[in-house]
């Protein structure tokens, strides 16, 4: 374990952290992402082999593996780099995982264009709790933005989400004869309470537009979550939770 102290805002590591926090392009180019908070750090230490560098405010302690580099900073530097209004005094850099090839899995959740990091993180947290495989299709928020990581409560450290295109997923499901269901406000849709989803792959659409037309057209089944007629729709994370619960039952 190496240790150093930084006191300048102009330090290259400080500047790199700020870039990684603000840009998905920077994260992908560097192969790194940043998370913050003592609880998330504990999760990364326990579950994530890609933990590389930990930045700690003076006075904050953490149990870390020997291969991790430790950087000490005064509180004002932590306030400068942390995205939190009240920093907990721990911020850390991790390697981005290699994206895995999508595997045909009955009972998997497909996310189509979920753009809100809070919704995406909440879905990943719930999927981790219920052991539901998740595939992120085109247009989803970055699962390794600090907002998504925080909303997931560290689920991305325990279960890394797979990212793939709809064409890749459709091909895999067709080969393995896994039916694809979509959530949709449609007169043709089946009440989710009466649908057996244990052998299907279910698509949850974006917050604003729902599932893309091409996916709707190619799906094997449409599902509807029954609700009060005066309610137009559900939050994407809530809808995904209902779907996952039905998958497991």
């Amino acid at each position: 374990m190496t240790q150093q102290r930084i006191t300048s805002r102009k330090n290259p590591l400080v500047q790199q952290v700020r870039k990684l926090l603000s840009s998905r392009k920077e994260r992908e180019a560097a192969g790194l992402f940043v998370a913050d908070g003592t609880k998330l750090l504990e999760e990364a230490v326990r579950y994530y082999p890609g933990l590389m560098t930990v930045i700690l405010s003076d006075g904050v302690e953490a149990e870390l593996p020997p291969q991790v580099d430790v950087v000490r900073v005064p509180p004002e530097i932590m306030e400068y780099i942390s995205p939190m209004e009240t920093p907990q005094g721990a911020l850390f850099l991790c390697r981005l995982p290699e994206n895995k090839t999508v595997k045909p899995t009955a009972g998997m959740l497909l996310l189509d264009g979920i753009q809100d990091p809070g919704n995406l993180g909440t879905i990943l947290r719930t999927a981790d709790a219920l052991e539901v495989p998740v595939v992120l299709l085109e247009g989803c928020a970055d699962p390794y933005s600090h907002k998504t990581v925080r909303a997931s409560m560290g689920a991305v450290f325990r279960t890394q989400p797979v990212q793939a295109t709809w064409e890749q997923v459709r091909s895999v499901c067709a080969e393995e004869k896994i039916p694809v269901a979509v959530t949709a406000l449609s007169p043709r849709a089946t009440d989710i309470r009466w649908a057996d989803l244990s052998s299907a792959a279910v698509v949850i659409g974006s917050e604003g537009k729902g599932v893309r037309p091409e996916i709707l057209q190619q799906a094997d089944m449409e599902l509807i979550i029954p609700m009060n007629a005066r309610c137009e729709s559900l939050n994407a994370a809530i809808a995904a939770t209902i779907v996952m619960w039905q998958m497991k039952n």
Side-chain angles (χ1 to χ4, degrees):
M1 180 184 296
T2 63
Q3 296 195 40
Q4 63 172 308
R5 181 173 176 78
I6 291 175
T7 58
S8 172
R9 292 187 176 189
K10 296 181 180 180
N11 182 276
L13 177 61
V14 169
Q15 294 304 312
Q16 181 186 36
V17 167
R18 287 174 62 85
K19 289 179 181 178
L20 293 173
L21 285 168
S22 64
S23 169
R24 182 174 190 169
K25 184 177 180 180
E26 289 286 346
R27 290 190 289 273
E28 292 176 346
L32 298 169
F33 68 99
V34 180
D36 62 90
T38 52
K39 173 61 177 174
L40 289 179
L41 177 57
E42 291 174 3
E43 293 294 297
V45 168
R46 186 174 181 182
Y47 294 105
Y48 196 71
L51 177 62
M52 293 182 61
T53 302
V54 176
I55 304 173
L56 298 173
S57 286
D58 293 336
V60 175
E61 301 296 334
E63 294 186 12
L64 302 171
Q67 71 273 16
V68 172
D69 296 329
V70 178
V71 178
R72 285 284 177 184
V73 297
E76 58 268 24
I77 295 297
M78 181 59 70
E79 291 176 3
Y80 177 67
I81 58 176
S82 174
M84 299 175 64
E85 288 188 12
T86 306
Q88 296 179 9
L91 187 147
F92 52 99
L93 283 74
C94 298
R95 287 190 299 272
L96 285 172
E98 293 186 11
N99 191 40
K100 299 177 182 178
T101 302
V102 60
K103 294 181 180 179
T105 306
M108 66 181 176
L109 188 70
L110 310 176
L111 303 182
D112 179 39
I114 302 297
Q115 298 177 341
D116 182 85
N119 280 340
L120 179 57
T122 299
I123 294 170
L124 295 177
R125 179 183 181 183
T126 306
D128 179 59
L130 297 179
E131 295 188 330
V132 172
V134 177
V135 177
L136 275 57
L137 303 178
E138 300 95 323
C140 285
D142 184 0
Y144 298 102
S145 75
H146 70 275
K147 292 180 180 179
T148 307
V149 174
R150 170 159 290 281
S152 81
M153 289 300 291
V156 296
F157 299 129
R158 300 185 292 269
T159 307
Q160 284 80 60
V162 175
Q163 301 181 68
T165 67
W166 163 241
E167 287 302 317
Q168 289 172 327
V169 173
R170 185 177 67 85
S171 175
V172 165
C173 288
E175 288 174 6
E176 297 298 321
K177 295 181 171 55
I178 298 173
V180 175
V182 298
T183 52
L185 296 174
S186 163
R188 301 183 302 276
T190 299
D191 188 320
I192 193 172
R193 293 173 295 181
W194 320 128
D196 180 6
L197 303 182
S198 60
S199 61
V202 182
V203 186
I204 297 290
S206 71
E207 295 87 352
K209 298 180 180 179
V211 178
R212 278 178 286 161
E214 58 264 40
I215 298 179
L216 281 170
Q217 292 167 6
Q218 296 171 15
D220 301 294
M221 182 193 318
E222 294 182 10
L223 303 170
I224 191 167
I225 299 171
M227 67 184 79
N228 194 306
R230 65 173 177 265
C231 298
E232 182 178 322
S233 63
L234 290 172
N235 171 276
I238 298 299
T241 298
I242 293 172
V243 166
M244 287 187 279
W245 180 258
Q246 185 65 17
M247 281 178 163
K248 305 301 286 189
N249 288 278

